Amino acid sequence: MGVRVGKLEFGGTDFIVIAGPCAVESERQILETAEAVAEAGAKMLRGGAFKPRTSPYAFQGLGAEGLKLLARAGRETGLPVVTEVMSDTQVDLVAEHADMLQIGSRSMGNEALLTAAAASGRPILLKRGMSATVEEMAEAARAIRQNGNPRIVLCERGIRTFETATRNTCDIVAVPLLQRLTGLPVIVDPSHATGIRDLISPVARAAVAIAADGLIIEVHIDPDRALSDSVQTLSIAQFRELMRDIEPFAEIWSERRKGVCACV
Ligand code: PEP
Ligand code: MN
């Protein structure tokens, strides 16, 4: 059985593309981005309000104000929204505004957060820890399930390796492995996996061809001015192109799905 978020079902018959900015920055930025990605075919909206950043001097997100703006953009476009929750104490606030809770790479092993997020009853997007094995990720998913919440979607977002040419190393084989191991839907985040705009479409195509359940992509109305992750963020035109690029793989996707994973 799949994981429902509003009218959508991950692990069902649809390939679900989630798109939106790395962070919610302003009313205009999130509303315009939401409208444009919806028109291009995205089915869900992303946008960070609480941002885990490598540097304490970098933009930390708009917090509660960002959550409200994201929820409004979701209502106005009809797209369910997903946003990151960074600590157990934030779960109630984030769950009030978001249709799905994102647990980020840096938090995958935070048991207090996994437990609190599970208790919210909201579907959870669990991102792979940057140094986590496939088995460790499956364990984190089990921890959420054991706390009474089976509505989990996993996300491969690249891992740390000796390779420095890309921001992370996209472990594409983790997709079918995790689908089989956990029976859960698995999506791919080519933005954080590569950290390079030009590589996002090729990795997105690979994700469709390997029968992932969806994608999460960073898109911004003015990517060069994005306050975070600018170099890996697509413009609206580039996102439209990506949606066209993955189209020919849709048939392969439908065929592959018949052979994979307990979740379908
Ligand atoms: C994000 O998706 O906003 C994010 C911070 O990604 P990750 O947790 O995978 O680094
Ligand atoms: Mn980002």
Side-chain angles (χ1 to χ4, degrees):
M1 219 184 61
V3 174
R4 288 202 164 276
V5 182
K7 290 187 204 127
L8 304 173
E9 187 182 13
F10 287 89
T13 50
D14 289 324
F15 185 81
I16 297 172
V17 178
I18 307 171
C22 180
V24 178
E25 297 171 3
S26 69
E27 182 176 317
R28 175 170 167 262
Q29 175 246 15
I30 192 63
L31 291 176
E32 287 186 11
T33 305
E35 274 163 28
V37 296
E39 204 187 300
K43 295 283 188 285
M44 263 183 89
L45 179 65
R46 64 151 288 146
F50 296 102
K51 293 302 302 173
R53 302 307 304 281
T54 308
S55 163
Y57 305 111
F59 177 58
Q60 306 290 313
L62 296 182
E65 184 55 31
L67 290 177
K68 283 186 202 145
L69 291 174
L70 180 70
R72 189 176 139 206
R75 277 194 306 275
E76 292 192 7
T77 52
L79 301 179
V81 301
V82 59
T83 195
E84 178 160 354
V85 54
M86 285 172 58
S87 79
D88 52 333
T89 56
Q90 279 172 357
V91 167
D92 289 347
L93 175 65
V94 177
E96 204 181 297
H97 298 283
D99 300 287
M100 185 179 215
L101 304 183
Q102 178 172 321
I103 296 187
S105 185
R106 293 155 192 79
S107 305
M108 191 206 82
N110 179 338
E111 287 204 20
L113 175 58
L114 297 178
T115 306
S120 75
R122 287 277 187 211
I124 292 171
L125 179 61
L126 179 66
K127 298 191 82 174
R128 182 172 181 181
M130 57 188 76
S131 304
T133 64
V134 160
E135 181 51 32
E136 285 162 349
M137 188 173 192
E139 285 289 7
R142 286 181 202 119
I144 297 171
R145 206 158 20 188
Q146 211 166 34
N147 281 289
N149 191 344
R151 302 170 71 196
I152 309 159
V153 175
L154 304 178
C155 178
E156 163 60 35
R157 48 78 73 205
I159 48 174
R160 283 248 168 118
T161 68
F162 56 81
E163 181 57 74
T164 53
T166 48
R167 179 174 175 176
N168 291 288
T169 298
C170 185
D171 184 13
I172 200 80
V173 77
V175 173
L177 271 176
L178 284 164
Q179 285 171 331
R180 283 170 199 163
L181 192 62
T182 65
L184 295 169
V186 181
I187 68 168
V188 175
D189 174 349
S191 308
H192 292 90
T194 66
I196 299 171
R197 244 176 237 167
D198 289 350
L199 294 179
I200 294 170
S201 173
V203 174
R205 279 176 268 160
V208 184
I210 209 165
D213 295 276
L215 291 167
I216 181 165
I217 310 277
E218 289 186 333
V219 184
H220 192 291
I221 42 168
D222 190 358
D224 290 331
R225 294 224 175 89
L227 296 180
S228 54
D229 287 351
S230 167
V231 294
Q232 68 188 38
T233 296
L234 299 185
S235 66
I236 303 301
Q238 287 165 331
F239 178 64
R240 279 199 210 106
E241 213 174 295
L242 177 144
M243 293 301 281
R244 276 197 300 270
D245 288 348
I246 62 175
E247 190 59 38
F249 291 83
E251 204 172 309
I252 305 176
W253 188 84
S254 308
E255 287 302 307
R256 296 228 120 213
R257 299 225 32 114
K258 292 173 192 158
V260 295
C261 105
C263 58
V264 285

